[in-house]
Amino acid sequence: MIGLDIAKAHSWSSYRRLLRYCTPYKKRIFAALACMLLASVFGIAPPWLIKNVVDDVLIAGHSSLLNFLAGGVVLLYVCKAVFTYGHLYLMTWVGQKVVIDLRLELFWRIQHLAFATLYGRRTGEFLSLVTNDVAVLQNILASTIVEMVVQGVTFVGILLFLLFLNWKLTLFTFLITPLAILAIDRASAKLRVVGRTIQEQLARVTAIAQEAISAVRIVRAFATEENEYERFKDQSNRHFGALMKGTQIRGVLEGAVEVILIAALALILWIGGRDVVAGRFSVGELLAFLTYLGLLVQPVRVLSRTVSAVQQGVASADRVFEILDVQETIASPVAPVLLRPMAGRVDFEDVWFAYEGDRWVLRELSFSANPGDTIAIVGATGTGKSTLADMILRFYDPSRGCIRVDGHDIRTLDLRAYRKQIGLVPQDPMLMKGSFAYNIGYGLETPDLGQIEAAARTAGIHAFIESLPEGYDTEIGERGVTLSGGQRQRVAIARAVVRDPRILIMDEATSSLDVQVEKQVQEAMNKAMQGRTSFVIAHRLTTVRNATRILVLEAGRIAEAGTHDELVALGGRYRKLYGLYQEGRDDVDVGAASQLS
């Protein structure tokens, strides 16, 4: 019972929070409510006219009233149709606007989630939140709430008519009603749990499909199409099972409610029939009473069905609000320092970092990089090279110590303005679906073709783009799959330098290229790094030997530091690597060599 009480309290909290998103559109909502009330009133009046037809026309013989009463019934339903259209249009408008607001807020929040949160879930789960869960909420606002209001008003109106016709019979009827209420209450708690399970299973279906489609090249290369199909089939069956469980509960609920109401109808028919025979009740009144009682079945059935939809909607709302409530761990301070333009001096001061607990990824890092310096970072896989680069971008904050840029702790800087002055060339150059101009100018507030072309020349990709029939307007396929690895890297370099950043980060930008292409891309990188504070994370010696300083990481610490010549003279790990290079193996892997003892 305590668990159910907590669930109910949580449900009401979600209801109230969801309704707060409707506040900006309250005028339309009030207009829609007025339409709902009028539509309900016009919908429940006809049985009263039918009572008069039976008593005053068919039995009493007042035929002059027949035309008036018949025309009145038609007029009532015309009015009902007009106001039904009104509330349908208005509530659909409000529902769609609220959903757009929620979807935009959710998308914004996902864009700003900490990487630990993002990497903790599959991409498909976030896609399911933005599409499936928000769509469920739209259905609640656009139709479910309408049904609740319309059918609720209809229920109250019918009840008032019943009490007016014969309050004793009405009391007899509603001796059975608490059973229907109890059934709805018990089922609603179960439906909310099932609703959340349905949405979670659907999110997993979406995630598996997204993963398989995104990695279709790998799937086909390893001939695992059947494995992926079976995974998708298994998860789809789990989702089907959750759906059917919810259907079972809804089916039992609707059936039980209907049986209870029909039992009440039968009781009234028996009692009312005896009253008509005894002269205590007219035929028209009994007919109207039974008609109203029959009409009462529909709102109760709809309300019981609506309960299940609302519970599923609350489950979706819980999942959406769960993401919206995640606190940003990386954000601009209240009164940020605006560095514009930025010189680009970077200082690591005794920096420690762990993703969780005391499992340190970086330890005691202290070094400086002046404007124009090129800092190469080498080391075995898992030594913290990419984490170091991510911390310069402030994807993560130090667990201990401080990172300063131009003398300012980066935690005090305006985050957006700071990142706008950093260029990043990742190992996997993710390109967007769009033209070359769009991809190179990505992030520019006012893209300029001259600026884009200059960046492309720096990256050594201008001549290739110009050779294409549509030049810079040529569309690049999703993720840049229509380009070679070297071409993608050059576009990524152009994208990184187009804003003339003061800090440039090359995160293993040539590790996946062959030696010949790597040399060509390296020339583009060297041009791009001129005059900037550059950090080069690399596995190959050819990309680091000309660096101002080389940092050799081991277990998150700086094991060796110096220029190429200084480290060779030191005779340590870097010297062993250089020995392999002198043997002609210019493509030797720094990560592997750094593990030599």
Side-chain angles (χ1 to χ4, degrees), residues 127-144:
L127 292 177
S128 183
L129 281 170
V130 174
T131 55
N132 300 324
D133 287 278
V134 174
V136 170
L137 297 181
Q138 188 274 333
N139 181 61
I140 288 179
L141 294 169
S143 60
T144 304

Side-chain angles (χ1 to χ4, degrees), residues 312-456:
Q312 184 173 348
V314 170
S316 292
D318 289 343
R319 284 164 48 80
V320 170
F321 293 146
E322 182 182 327
I323 296 299
L324 293 180
D325 289 339
V326 174
Q327 296 297 313
E328 290 186 32
T329 56
I330 306 296
S332 289
V334 177
V337 176
L338 184 62
L339 286 182
R340 187 181 289 172
M342 190 168 71
R345 176 183 172 83
V346 179
D347 295 289
F348 273 62
E349 299 177 358
D350 192 28
V351 170
W352 293 64
F353 176 75
Y355 289 104
E356 56 181 26
D358 58 355
R359 298 171 61 182
W360 300 108
V361 178
L362 298 176
R363 308 161 184 258
E364 302 174 327
L365 287 191
S366 295
F367 67 89
S368 297
N370 294 312
D373 283 353
T374 297
I375 306 298
I377 304 166
V378 301
T381 300
T383 54
K385 303 186 299 297
S386 293
T387 302
L388 188 154
D390 287 346
M391 296 189 75
I392 296 172
L393 282 157
R394 207 189 161 205
F395 290 163
Y396 306 100
D397 283 333
S399 303
R400 300 181 192 171
C402 176
I403 301 173
R404 297 186 184 278
V405 172
D406 294 352
H408 298 275
D409 187 332
I410 61 173
R411 288 170 289 199
T412 67
L413 301 180
D414 183 291
L415 188 57
R416 188 170 185 271
Y418 170 62
R419 287 178 179 166
K420 285 283 186 182
Q421 299 180 80
I422 300 177
L424 172 66
V425 183
Q427 180 180 2
D428 180 13
M430 177 73 71
L431 302 183
M432 305 295 186
K433 184 173 177 59
S435 66
F436 278 97
Y438 172 76
N439 273 276
I440 294 174
Y442 186 72
L444 286 178
E445 295 179 0
T446 54
D448 176 77
L449 186 58
Q451 193 176 358
I452 290 170
E453 289 181 356

Side-chain angles (χ1 to χ4, degrees), residues 188-216:
S188 64
K190 293 182 180 180
L191 284 167
R192 184 168 181 273
V193 175
V194 173
R196 184 177 181 90
T197 303
I198 289 171
Q199 292 305 111
E200 288 175 350
Q201 296 293 348
L202 181 59
R204 294 191 182 110
V205 170
T206 304
I208 291 173
Q210 188 270 336
E211 287 174 357
I213 294 171
S214 298
V216 65

Side-chain angles (χ1 to χ4, degrees), residues 431 436 461 464 468 476-477 480-488 491:
L431 302 183
F436 278 97
I461 192 69
F464 168 75
L468 299 172
I476 298 176
V481 294
T482 57
L483 303 178
S484 69
Q487 289 166 342
R488 287 199 300 273
V491 172

Side-chain angles (χ1 to χ4, degrees), residues 526-538:
N526 291 337
K527 289 181 65 178
M529 289 187 291
Q530 290 177 6
R532 299 182 172 92
T533 308
S534 302
F535 294 85
V536 180
I537 299 172

